[in-house]
Amino acid sequence: MMNKSFVHFSVQIMNGKHSWYNVSMLVFDTICALSTPRQNSALAIVRLSGEKAVEILSHLIRKDVNTLVPNQAFFAKLYQKKEELNSFIDEAVVTYFKGPNSYTGFDLVEFATHGSMIVVEELLDALTLYGARRALQGEFSCQAYYNGKMDLLKAEGVNDLINANSTRAKKIASSTLNGENANIILSIKKELLEDLSKLEYFVENQYSDFDESDYPVVLNEVSVSLQSLSSKTKKLLDQTKRANREYQGIQVAIAGEPNAGKSTLLNRILGKDKAIVSPIPGTTRDVVEGEREIDGIHFHFDDTAGLRETDDLLENLGIQKSYETIKRADLVLLCSENGFSEILSDEKIKALLEKKNVILVSTKSDINQSKEGDISVSETEEDLSSLFALMLERLDVDKKEESCFLGKREEDYLFKIHEQINLSKNALEETGQIDIISDTIHVTLVLLDEMLGNSRSKTMEDIYQTLFSHFCLGK
């Protein structure tokens, strides 16, 4: 069992825009927080979790807490002091979850009250009066992690699901909750441990009698294993990169010559007049943004200033922003009404688009006879399904195997693990020295443990600051 001094630490939280203050966090504290959005609504859910949860509850209700049945909801009137009728807070549905069979692993009480923030604050004040502390962001999930109710991979999946902003993002986040990601990491760890045991057998017995003819056989077995694991982790890394891109949303830059119909195209994609449209070249002088979900994927669209040489200072600032937007984009819709030979002959634009995913969009096809480009769109045509289908095809997101890993942390760990496995493989091929190979495998095993949150070298403070502090309050 982890002692209290080990799990006690301070967290810096920004108050307003500039000042910071320290808040002490202790996993064994009894904590409380509003778990639904902080706004007036029909209902609000307040959570109370920790060793003192039932004791604190006993001060608020007249029901004998010794008669509580776990996992059963009951109706109760809540009082700041149950002996004083004039301290009434609200009527609520209360559910008691007995630890360790709760979300956090501690005794947990959920209050479903009316959704007035005045009621919520009075309830939270009463809970803190009897020994609870207001929770920090993600602290309930941090308790769950400490009590072994979830590993770090699942904890991240919970947060990703909460913050999903599209159908595909929700699907990707949901796939991280089934435990398959942890099983994959554990299977890699198991295989590496088997490889390590084979190698270290020779180290332990190098001065004993053993059949040296087994040596090349074992090295070959380990080599085949490392090659397989290298391919496996590379596939996982590629899937995770794609999943992160789709989860965060695809960045699309609408670029091209002035007066090429870029703003009109943005408005039609969004289904509303977001960008100003006029026949005057240079109307758009700043990036105009909009968002839309297409086939379950969240897209961020940026309408940019027309690319041309000009002496207008303000327009030049907009054009510079256009270049920066194109650099960041996952996909560029390059628009032109008169063909693409001129704009693609510009060396600066050509270099910018060289490694980009680009769709050449021939605009104003109702009045323009040019058939150049990948697709044509008209000023009046409402159906953009062909353009959307081409976008999905170019992005290669259709009918792909879902990743069970998500997030920058997991992507970074998979990258390190893949690189370290390759180091082990190269050490075997280049040196054949067991001690060198074993050392590199040891490093990989440490990374795998850290990814699951099992590393003894990481403190709870590290884990909280890198993961749980990003959660919403009350989770």
Side-chain angles (χ1 to χ4, degrees), residues 91-330:
E91 295 178 338
V93 175
V94 182
T95 309
Y96 164 57
F97 302 91
K98 183 174 178 58
N101 299 317
S102 69
Y103 176 76
T104 61
F106 291 118
D107 285 350
L108 186 145
V109 179
E110 289 190 348
F111 302 88
T113 70
H114 293 98
S116 164
M117 289 302 102
I118 295 175
V119 168
V120 168
E121 285 303 315
E122 287 184 357
L123 175 55
L124 290 171
D125 285 344
L127 296 176
T128 57
L129 176 66
Y130 295 108
R133 170 175 60 76
R134 296 210 182 200
L136 304 176
Q137 291 183 190
E139 201 167 354
F140 291 96
S141 295
C142 193
Q143 285 188 343
Y145 165 74
Y146 169 76
N147 283 320
K149 307 300 289 186
M150 64 172 73
D151 56 37
L152 285 189
L153 295 178
K154 185 170 183 179
E156 285 185 301
V158 170
N159 199 37
D160 291 332
L161 183 60
I162 291 171
N163 293 299
N165 60 0
S166 69
T167 305
R168 180 66 69 89
K170 182 261 180 185
K171 184 177 181 182
I172 293 171
S174 297
S175 68
T176 67
L177 293 177
N178 61 10
E180 181 61 23
N181 45 15
N183 290 336
I184 289 173
I185 296 303
L186 289 172
S187 70
I188 294 173
K189 181 180 177 180
K190 180 181 178 182
E191 191 166 345
L192 284 173
L193 286 171
E194 290 175 355
D195 292 338
L196 192 61
S197 66
K198 292 176 182 178
L199 294 172
E200 295 195 344
Y201 170 81
F202 288 102
V203 175
E204 294 294 329
N205 295 279
Q206 58 183 317
Y207 301 113
S208 305
D209 294 330
F210 67 91
D211 190 348
E212 294 188 8
S213 64
D214 289 340
Y215 187 79
V217 175
V218 169
L219 284 184
N220 183 65
E221 289 177 354
V222 173
S223 177
V224 170
S225 172
L226 291 175
Q227 181 61 55
S228 174
L229 288 174
S230 175
S231 300
K232 183 176 184 177
T233 52
K234 178 63 167 62
K235 180 180 179 181
L236 291 172
L237 179 59
D238 290 342
Q239 288 177 340
T240 304
K241 286 180 178 179
R242 190 183 69 248
N244 282 334
R245 182 183 64 175
E246 294 179 19
Y247 179 86
Q248 296 296 335
I250 306 297
Q251 296 285 343
V252 181
I254 303 177
E257 302 156 336
N259 204 29
K262 301 183 297 299
S263 298
T264 299
L265 180 59
L266 174 68
N267 289 340
R268 289 178 53 214
I269 289 173
L270 301 181
K272 59 183 178 181
D273 292 335
K274 185 70 180 286
I276 297 173
V277 176
S278 86
I280 303 173
T283 298
T284 300
R285 297 195 174 196
D286 202 353
V287 176
V288 181
E289 302 175 355
E291 300 179 348
R292 175 171 176 173
E293 184 174 319
I294 300 172
D295 198 27
I297 300 175
H298 194 71
F299 282 84
H300 302 272
F301 291 94
D302 294 320
D303 174 29
T304 63
L307 304 175
R308 68 169 177 174
E309 296 292 332
T310 177
D311 295 327
D312 188 305
L313 177 61
L314 290 178
E315 189 178 350
N316 264 326
L317 290 174
I319 293 171
Q320 184 58 41
K321 280 192 174 182
S322 297
Y323 289 133
E324 294 170 0
T325 302
I326 292 171
K327 286 180 182 178
R328 295 193 302 268
D330 300 304

Side-chain angles (χ1 to χ4, degrees), residues 444-456:
T444 311
L445 291 170
V446 170
L447 290 171
L448 291 165
D449 274 332
E450 285 184 357
M451 192 172 182
L452 291 169
N454 297 333
S455 172
R456 295 181 181 179

Side-chain angles (χ1 to χ4, degrees), residues 325-337:
T325 302
I326 292 171
K327 286 180 182 178
R328 295 193 302 268
D330 300 304
L331 177 68
V332 179
L333 301 181
L334 188 64
C335 301
S336 177
E337 61 174 320

Side-chain angles (χ1 to χ4, degrees), residues 396-430:
D396 196 27
V397 296
D398 191 31
K399 297 179 181 179
K400 287 289 182 180
E401 183 181 353
E402 295 291 351
S403 172
C404 57
F405 294 92
L406 185 63
K408 190 66 171 64
R409 174 185 173 275
E410 294 185 22
E411 183 179 323
D412 288 345
Y413 266 106
L414 286 172
F415 175 80
K416 293 174 186 177
I417 290 165
H418 174 67
E419 290 293 296
Q420 194 63 37
I421 287 172
N422 282 341
L423 283 177
S424 300
K425 182 168 63 72
N426 293 338
L428 188 153
E429 294 170 353
E430 295 171 6

